[in-house]
Amino acid sequence: MTSTQGARKANLGVLAGALFALLWVAGTFAQDFGADSSIAYPRPTDEMSAAQEWFSANGSAAETNAALQIVAAIALIIFAGVVANLIRTVRGSGAAASVASTAGAVSAAMLMVGAAAQAGLATDAASEGPTAQALYQLAFWTGGPLHVATLGLAVVAAAVGLANVLPKWLKITGIVVGSLALLAALSGFGQAFVAFTLFGRYLSFVWLLIVGIAAAFKRAPAGAPAGADAAARV
């Protein structure tokens, strides 16, 4: 494999972060457009009967969303691995690469578990109250606060690990956005922290889109090693 081919693959790998964000958003839109708008989507604090009613009426939409979330999680795993390699390329070694890959993988795993639980709510198993309650709480916590918090940790690690090649403003926003997302892990301690799941998720998506697209189309100097394109200053 030539240096240019290696760099091109690294660039596409970084773009997987943008793909992850787009797939998650696509799943949400697909669910919203496919669901019966006359039935409000249940909140974690609602009665279980509300969740059972929604998933019973909108099982197909929920399953479509779950499928896209699983594919999004795979894209996140790829992105985390590529970013970890890029950090090692520009820093040699260090904790940032390990944290980025591990946090990214855990975040993807949380998203997959949440998606599977959501799909389970669309089956006959959700007709039983205790089972439905367990699945709904599992879907909320793993696909929500825990997924977002670990995604935030991965963003912070990427921003710190690539600090020498990212513009200062992008490094700082990555640390701030990732830190806000980390606060989603405190959702169990108060309603106010639940908002960080929403803000942390979408702000992380924006950061990933900017970094991924910029790095994917950035050209490295001639003779640069594989992966230098994606690690070049954007």
Side-chain angles (χ1 to χ4, degrees), residues 62 68 75 83 100 107-108 144 153 197 206 220 222 234:
L68 286 170
V83 166
S107 183
L153 182 58
T197 297
V206 172
V234 295

Side-chain angles (χ1 to χ4, degrees), residues 176-206:
V176 171
V177 165
S179 298
L180 289 175
L182 275 166
L183 292 175
L186 301 177
S187 295
F189 294 97
Q191 188 66 27
F193 291 108
V194 176
F196 289 104
T197 297
L198 176 65
F199 295 137
R201 187 196 304 276
Y202 284 104
L203 289 175
S204 294
F205 284 175
V206 172

Side-chain angles (χ1 to χ4, degrees), residues 6 34-35 165 192:
V165 295

